[in-house]
Amino acid sequence: MASTNDLKNGTVLNLDGNLWSVVEFQHVKPGKGGAFVRTKLKNVLSGKVVDRTFNAGSKVETATVDKRDMQYLYKDGEDFVFMDTATYDQLHIAAATVGDAANFMLESTEAIVATHEGSPLYVELPASVVLEITYTEPGLQGDRSTGGTKPATVETGYEIQVPLFLETGTKVKVDTRTGDYLGRVND
């Protein structure tokens, strides 16, 4: 148990049987009445965001979330297999838990896996990853770097939009949160 005065961004609360992560919080002390804490909470499993207000100093139940550096090894049926880089323990994580992160993971990709009481909650990738374009239509004479975009398939099988001048075999940096093209990578 913790007090609402101890809330910080990233704190995970156990409310009504669900885990909620504090996205932002604000202590408010109106001129009339008691102080309160206005929070924006994100459901750890579903991603739903809600606003919630607590009385200042009231008790809330915190959940212990263990975040570990892990390495993605391979896909086993519907599960993704990760290895703890400190203990070499392997962890099978369901595809539903991995979510969109699967679009940007190659074997040996480093990730942070958050678990609560041994069950995986979510997989957090670095902000950007470098992937190679495996297929895209060839560019035409006169294509400009500031022109338009075209679809390109990267080595994970995910399709992104890239500038017209890029060709198959080019390495590109991709934002893991939005799937946007960030730039070309020169080896």
Side-chain angles (χ1 to χ4, degrees):
M1 297 292 273
S3 166
T4 54
N5 297 331
D6 302 328
L7 292 181
K8 294 190 286 262
N9 289 348
T11 302
V12 178
L13 306 176
N14 189 351
L15 302 172
D16 309 323
N18 289 321
L19 296 178
W20 299 85
S21 177
V22 176
V23 178
E24 59 184 58
F25 66 96
Q26 179 182 18
H27 291 276
V28 180
K29 188 164 183 348
K32 188 175 183 180
F36 59 91
V37 179
R38 187 179 295 139
T39 63
K40 188 176 282 191
L41 303 173
K42 179 179 179 184
N43 188 305
V44 171
L45 298 176
S46 69
K48 179 181 173 184
V49 178
V50 297
D51 292 324
R52 183 123 180 219
T53 304
F54 300 96
N55 289 330
S58 63
K59 298 287 183 197
V60 289
E61 186 178 347
T62 58
T64 54
V65 173
D66 186 21
K67 290 185 177 183
R68 294 183 173 209
D69 289 330
M70 293 201 169
Q71 184 179 41
Y72 169 58
L73 296 179
Y74 58 91
K75 189 168 181 180
D76 182 20
E78 289 298 308
D79 291 353
F80 291 84
V81 180
F82 286 82
M83 177 185 69
D84 190 324
T85 54
T87 63
Y88 302 108
D89 291 339
Q90 291 187 6
L91 179 65
H92 289 257
I93 301 177
T97 305
V98 174
D100 291 339
N103 297 326
F104 309 106
M105 288 189 324
L106 292 172
E107 291 180 0
S108 77
T109 299
E110 297 289 330
I112 295 173
V113 176
T115 58
H116 173 64
E117 295 175 357
S119 62
L121 298 174
Y122 59 89
V123 175
E124 196 176 291
L125 290 177
S128 64
V129 292
V130 175
L131 298 171
E132 185 174 320
I133 295 175
T134 55
Y135 177 77
T136 187
E137 294 291 327
L140 299 171
Q141 183 65 32
D143 285 345
R144 301 283 181 263
S145 61
T146 58
T149 59
K150 62 182 178 179
T153 305
V154 293
E155 54 192 314
T156 60
Y158 187 66
E159 191 172 277
I160 62 171
Q161 292 293 320
V162 298
L164 296 168
F165 64 89
L166 289 180
E167 300 170 356
T168 300
T170 307
K171 290 190 184 244
V172 293
K173 188 181 270 191
V174 181
D175 188 322
T176 58
R177 297 166 298 220
T178 62
D180 292 342
Y181 162 81
L182 295 176
R184 188 169 36 176
V185 176
N186 297 324
D187 290 337

